[in-house]
Amino acid sequence: MNRLQTFYGTSIGKKIVVAITGVIMYGFVIGHMLGNLKAFGGATALDQYAEMLREIGKAFLGHGTFLWIARIVLIAAVIGHVTTVILLSRINSASQPTRTIRRRNASTLAAKWMAISGTLVLLFIIIHIAQFTLGWITPHASGTTGFETGMVYSNLWGAFNIWYVALFYVAMMAMVCLHVYHGAWSMMQTFGLDAPDRNALIRGSAAAIAISLFIGFSAVPIAMLTNAISKPPAMDELQSADASAIQIEVIR
Ligand code: HEM
């Protein structure tokens, strides 16, 4: 424990913690984006995928336990990342005595941008979990069913059929991806992997991953808003039931 404390007490120790927790979140975000693309296979494909995540390790751990372990690791990574970034920025401010010098420091601008985008990403994650995991915030278009646990596809469909919800998600995905891009670049510097002859390649790869994430994440809200992918079956039934009710009224 003492060794760990001494390691964390140094600036480089903190930077390594930021980088490792960043890698964990990076992995989650890539996996989450790929999982979301199951929506293009239809409601059953996405809902079955969500259920499959809850069934990992079921035989040994029970239903949903593995997912909870993954959630705990993710929450610990987010907390570790955010608190260590705050501690590091305090150390940086203390080592730059005057405001003028701080303003002149080019890296301060990047750090400021990371702080602003990071805060917005954190706020997004809180709203996002309250919406799609907990069902506490449930904006949904008229004629769609509200939030129902396990009905991932129709929950998304209802929300993204409101234009400003879809727009909010696309805008937040731009924020997430810019944060991820800058984060990947500074992580390479932390690990000393940057070098003049490699920097163009590293920056290019970080940009390619960030752009792919943006396209992959934004595709679902856009496809649902524009009806480019199929309506959830439950909503088709709901709408045909509504239509029959109207017909009955007309006949009467
Ligand atoms: C358009 C983009 C996104 C869509 C459509 C989306 C969709 C979803 C859905 C439907 C769930 C609930 C899944 C379930 O109950 O099985 C969820 C959970 C979650 N999402 Fe997203 N997501 C998006 C982007 C993101 C991003 C960029 C992040 C992180 C920066 C993120 C972080 C999370 C987290 C932490 C959870 C909770 C996981 C859990 O409790 O199991 N999401 N997302």
Side-chain angles (χ1 to χ4, degrees):
M1 192 67 192
N2 232 351
R3 271 191 181 178
L4 270 182
Q5 275 174 342
T6 316
F7 170 74
Y8 190 70
T10 63
S11 273
I12 190 67
K14 287 192 185 63
K15 283 186 176 182
I16 290 174
V17 169
V18 170
I20 292 172
T21 49
V23 169
I24 295 174
M25 292 189 289
Y26 220 106
F28 167 78
V29 169
I30 293 174
H32 189 20
M33 186 273 283
L34 292 174
N36 284 0
L37 291 179
K38 292 265 175 206
F40 287 90
T44 313
L46 185 65
D47 293 355
Q48 275 179 355
Y49 170 73
E51 182 51 26
M52 182 276 288
L53 291 180
R54 285 162 175 80
E55 297 211 331
I56 297 175
K58 188 178 161 186
F60 306 101
L61 304 164
H63 186 262
T65 314
F66 175 83
L67 192 62
W68 269 108
I69 295 170
R71 281 171 178 157
I72 290 164
V73 170
L74 193 65
I75 292 168
V78 172
I79 294 173
H81 192 79
V82 174
T83 46
T84 314
V85 164
I86 294 171
L87 290 175
L88 268 177
S89 74
R90 281 194 188 155
I91 295 171
N92 281 348
S93 307
S95 65
Q96 292 165 1
T98 67
R99 286 196 112 198
T100 340
I101 294 173
R102 254 184 269 157
R103 249 186 238 133
R104 271 193 223 129
N105 191 341
S107 70
T108 311
L109 248 179
K112 248 187 195 164
W113 156 250
M114 286 305 274
I116 295 169
S117 59
T119 309
L120 287 173
V121 170
L122 200 62
L123 283 176
F124 162 76
I125 296 174
I126 294 169
I127 295 173
H128 180 55
I129 292 179
Q131 182 177 10
F132 288 126
T133 301
L134 302 171
W136 290 348
I137 309 171
T138 58
H140 59 280
S142 61
T144 64
T145 46
F147 179 88
E148 263 180 74
T149 307
M151 305 297 283
V152 180
Y153 190 91
S154 82
N155 293 342
L156 291 173
W157 182 274
F160 292 148
N161 262 268
I162 303 176
W163 68 268
Y164 55 84
V165 176
L167 186 70
F168 169 74
Y169 265 80
V170 173
M172 288 320 293
M173 289 313 107
M175 190 61 65
V176 168
C177 295
L178 281 170
H179 188 83
V180 160
Y181 167 70
H182 280 281
W185 172 238
S186 58
M187 188 172 74
M188 288 298 177
Q189 289 171 313
T190 302
F191 286 137
L193 296 172
D194 59 320
D197 59 332
R198 280 199 296 263
N199 285 354
L201 178 72
I202 295 174
R203 275 190 186 275
S205 317
I209 296 175
I211 292 170
S212 312
L213 280 172
F214 177 71
I215 296 173
F217 270 130
S218 303
V220 176
I222 293 174
M224 289 190 167
L225 179 67
T226 56
N227 283 5
I229 49 177
S230 54
K231 208 175 275 180
M235 261 163 232
D236 267 342
E237 280 163 25
L238 197 78
Q239 279 167 5
S240 50
D242 281 352
S244 336
I246 292 166
Q247 275 173 0
I248 292 167
E249 275 300 311
V250 170
I251 292 164
R252 273 187 190 157

